[in-house]
Amino acid sequence: MRKKKLGWTLGAGSAVILGLGVAASGLSSANASSLDKSASIARHPVKVEVLSPERGDNAGVEGKGWIVDLKLSFRGKSLAGTGYNGLQLTGPAAHNNIAPFPGTFSTGQDDKIPGLVVLDSTTNSTLPGFSGPGTNLANLFNLSGVTDRTPHKTELWDTWIVGAPIVGQNVDTTLTVAVVDDLNHDGVYNDAPGVVKDLNGDGKIGAKDLDLMGVASNVVTVPFHINADPA
């Protein structure tokens, strides 16, 4: 009886273990991307969230008028350590770099959040200052501020209303956002490039190239559609 009981116990245990293995395998298959995303956020000191656009959105009017809205949470960093250096309310032409919260308006590294990289897969290369999909669009953002500060976290929000069809019209596109790592080791996230290079040589510029360059955050990609219809 004892041997049978032990045998039954081992058999049941094996079944339970197998069952857990199957369940775990099923969970992994069903939620792989979610688990990978959570793991990515956990191992980085900065968390990036793209609030707009959302995946699958049909955004804008005649290729413009759509909004990129970002939330950046820095763990264990002072405000100065985030690279942030001032409020921003700016835009093109007469709105560029004037009171009440001046900031420059161009492609390239953002003067207010200099560790931020924002890419779009269909960015053109024909307008002055634009170099195609590797162009860092972060310095085109219009509104930057500090939304939450605790002893353990600093939260910034950054917003851009797109005023021209710089990434095309009636086209599927992908937004890619990250905060670059402290590449020069000065204790500040201020090392975003003006143009991201094709570091892996696959003919595309996006998340893989940012990973190779070095990031302090998760890399967020958002596929969506640019609407060409008039208002």
Side-chain angles (χ1 to χ4, degrees):
M1 283 297 289
R2 185 174 179 80
K3 288 183 179 180
K4 287 183 180 180
K5 184 176 181 181
L6 179 60
W8 178 86
T9 302
L10 290 172
S14 299
V16 170
I17 290 170
L18 288 173
L20 287 173
V22 171
S25 175
L27 179 63
S28 177
S29 300
N31 300 287
S33 61
S34 177
L35 291 173
D36 287 346
K37 180 179 178 182
S38 298
S40 175
I41 291 172
R43 70 173 178 263
H44 291 111
V46 185
K47 178 182 177 182
V48 170
E49 295 179 69
V50 178
L51 307 177
S52 176
E54 294 184 335
R55 179 178 293 266
D57 278 358
N58 182 33
V61 174
E62 297 176 339
K64 56 188 177 182
W66 48 284
I67 292 175
V68 182
D69 201 13
L70 308 179
K71 178 181 175 182
L72 312 174
S73 300
F74 295 78
R75 185 176 70 237
K77 282 281 182 181
S78 66
L79 184 58
T82 70
Y84 180 80
N85 55 56
L87 301 171
Q88 176 171 233
L89 176 60
T90 191
H95 302 288
N96 190 357
N97 213 17
I98 62 172
F101 306 122
T104 60
F105 186 84
S106 66
T107 59
Q109 185 189 53
D110 187 13
D111 64 325
K112 299 299 182 183
I113 307 178
L116 179 65
V117 169
V118 180
L119 306 176
D120 195 281
S121 63
T122 54
T123 299
N124 72 63
S125 58
T126 58
L127 294 174
F130 290 82
S131 304
T135 306
N136 187 357
L137 305 172
N139 203 43
L140 295 172
F141 278 63
N142 310 106
L143 183 64
S144 306
V146 182
T147 49
D148 190 24
R149 299 177 71 179
T150 75
H152 309 292
K153 181 185 75 171
T154 299
E155 181 182 282
L156 310 178
W157 279 42
D158 207 15
T159 302
W160 174 33
I161 181 167
V162 182
I166 62 173
V167 301
Q169 302 182 50
N170 192 28
V171 64
D172 292 329
T173 192
T174 299
L175 190 76
T176 302
V177 183
V179 172
V180 174
D181 208 354
D182 179 15
L183 302 179
N184 63 3
H185 308 294
D186 66 352
V188 181
Y189 294 127
N190 57 4
D191 298 318
V195 178
V196 176
K197 297 179 180 180
D198 180 12
L199 295 177
N200 67 349
D202 66 352
K204 302 176 183 179
I205 301 176
K208 293 180 180 178
D209 302 293
L210 292 177
D211 280 329
L212 286 172
M213 181 172 59
V215 289
S217 74
N218 54 314
V219 180
V220 180
T221 58
V222 183
F224 67 106
H225 187 80
I226 301 294
N227 187 14
D229 294 338

